[in-house]
Amino acid sequence: MSTATLTPKGPSSLRGARLPKWSPYAIAAGSIALAVGIGLAGGLHSRVQWGLIAAILYVVGTYAIAAGVEGKRQAKDRIATSLVWVAFLLAVIPLASLVWSTVVRGVKVLDVYFLTHSMGVVADTEPGGGIYHAILGTLEQVGLATVIAAPIGVLTAIYLVEYGRGNLSRAITFFVDVMTGIPSIVAGLFILSLMLMFDMEPFGFAGSLALAILMMPVVVRSTEEMLKLVPNELREASLALGVPKWRTILKVVLPTSIGGITTGIMLSIARITGETAPVLLLVWGNAFINANPFEGAQASLPLYIYQQYANSAGSGAAYDRAWAASLTLIAFVMLLNLVARGIARWKAPKTGR
């Protein structure tokens, strides 16, 4: 028998029919067009409703077309992918809309004068004024909270990972979990009760204490996870050389995880920067510049935004200042997140030889 008779006459393949790579885009375009048509025919004027209809049509259309061409098994895979994309868009679109609205409305009065002047004698309904006093108050209050919470949180995490055993460790873990979920107003009320006991007036450091309470559990949790990622072999190698445990932690464990620890601290700072409730209770706000956080009421950016909106009485100038302060606060938080990512990449363990 010749080899020619054993050779198959046509190309064989185990792969079945597949949709082209551009099919998801075509299905998405068709879903959007059909959703717009349904919206117009049904008298739906909300773009949100159109978007939800388009999302449903996209998922259903993807499954129906894929099931007809590729089979039900591949259709299930495609519908899972489409659900992920729909969920991603549902999360990103409101965020992008929020940022866009803040930028468009905030740039109206955001300039050097706005950043370098306080409200002073400017009434909330009058144009002019700025947020310098609020920026100063935010930096001082958040800075003091970080000085308090970061060392306590890091040392607590070191105890839980390196030394913690028994009932005390379990109790600390339980209370850290509880503190992670407490509302910010509760932390403010706790510090306020202490102030009332000692007959104290509102001042900036009181807000820092409440912010530190909110910051500590975040620092503990993030630091704890970073310390757990350090390989035990590094600890064992250091201890085998006769290095004391405290020195092993200081010279081996902490330098290895310093990037993740710093990132967690920066993200916790971003988390407390926008808190309004404890600052409203404990700091009260001040239209003038007060650089002393230990005496007298202070301003802060979240509180400034709230007061401008609450006391505007329909004034366009107050609304513009509130939006400009919101844009400044978003930019500050975004900068902290970028710094955290940069530190994490800079301090990441080097791989390769």
Side-chain angles (χ1 to χ4, degrees):
M1 182 180 294
S2 64
T3 56
T5 58
L6 298 177
T7 305
K9 295 182 179 180
S12 62
S13 176
L14 296 177
R15 297 178 61 184
R18 293 185 61 85
L19 291 172
K21 293 183 178 180
W22 48 263
S23 59
Y25 305 102
I27 297 173
S31 300
I32 293 173
L34 187 58
V36 172
I38 294 174
L40 294 176
L44 303 176
H45 303 290
S46 174
R47 302 286 178 85
V48 176
Q49 294 174 326
W50 294 4
L52 293 176
I53 294 173
I56 296 173
L57 291 175
Y58 175 72
V59 173
V60 175
T62 299
Y63 180 79
I65 296 174
V69 177
E70 300 176 332
K72 292 185 177 181
R73 183 176 181 180
Q74 188 65 25
K76 292 179 181 179
D77 178 73
R78 286 190 177 273
I79 196 174
T81 305
S82 63
L83 287 173
V84 171
W85 276 105
V86 168
F88 168 74
L89 292 175
L90 290 177
V92 168
I93 290 176
L95 177 61
S97 176
L98 172 64
V99 173
W100 175 256
S101 299
T102 306
V103 171
V104 170
R105 300 188 183 189
V107 295
K108 293 181 179 179
V109 296
L110 185 60
D111 52 20
V112 176
Y113 178 88
F114 183 73
L115 296 174
T116 56
H117 287 75
S118 66
M119 290 300 293
V121 295
V122 179
D124 290 334
T125 56
E126 297 177 352
I131 58 172
Y132 175 76
H133 60 306
I135 295 176
L136 181 64
T138 295
L139 292 177
E140 290 182 348
Q141 293 159 27
V142 173
L144 290 172
T146 304
V147 170
I148 297 171
I152 296 176
V154 172
L155 292 176
T156 302
I158 291 174
Y159 169 78
L160 291 175
V161 175
E162 304 293 338
Y163 297 98
R165 300 292 185 275
N167 295 330
L168 180 58
S169 175
R170 287 191 291 270
I172 293 175
T173 302
F174 172 76
F175 283 111
V176 168
D177 291 337
V178 172
M179 289 177 63
T180 303
I182 62 172
S184 58
I185 191 68
V186 175
L189 288 173
F190 172 71
I191 301 299
L192 180 62
S193 64
L194 297 178
M195 292 174 59
L196 295 176
M197 289 173 58
F198 294 98
D199 196 22
M200 302 174 68
E201 297 293 330
F203 61 110
F205 184 65
S208 299
L209 293 176
L211 296 178
I213 294 175
L214 299 173
M215 183 178 177
M216 271 188 281
V218 181
V219 176
V220 173
R221 273 285 164 258
S222 60
T223 304
E224 187 178 0
E225 294 302 321
M226 291 301 104
L227 295 177
K228 288 179 179 178
L229 293 177
V230 178
N232 285 328
E233 288 78 5
L234 294 179
R235 298 180 176 89
E236 294 170 356
S238 178
L239 295 173
L241 295 174
V243 180
K245 187 168 185 176
W246 69 269
R247 196 170 182 85
T248 298
I249 297 172
L250 189 63
K251 296 295 185 179
V252 177
V253 178
L254 288 179
T256 305
S257 58
I258 189 64
I261 294 173
T262 306
T263 301
I265 293 174
M266 298 295 290
L267 294 178
S268 64
I269 293 174
R271 180 249 188 272
I272 66 172
T273 302
E275 292 292 344
T276 308
V279 179
L280 178 62
L281 286 175
L282 306 172
V283 181
W284 278 27
N286 192 344
F288 296 90
I289 299 174
N290 179 14
N292 185 4
F294 300 98
E295 183 179 0
Q298 264 193 327
S300 72
L301 280 174
L303 183 58
Y304 177 89
I305 296 168
Y306 169 77
Q307 290 176 335
Q308 288 297 306
Y309 180 80
N311 302 329
S312 62
S315 170
Y319 282 132
D320 291 341
R321 286 193 296 264
W323 281 107
S326 301
L327 180 58
T328 305
L329 186 60
I330 290 176
F332 179 69
V333 174
M334 187 178 298
L335 179 63
L336 288 178
N337 281 272
L338 292 176
V339 171
R341 288 180 178 273
I343 293 174
R345 180 171 295 184
W346 175 42
K347 290 295 184 179
K350 302 296 186 293
T351 57
R353 297 181 183 274

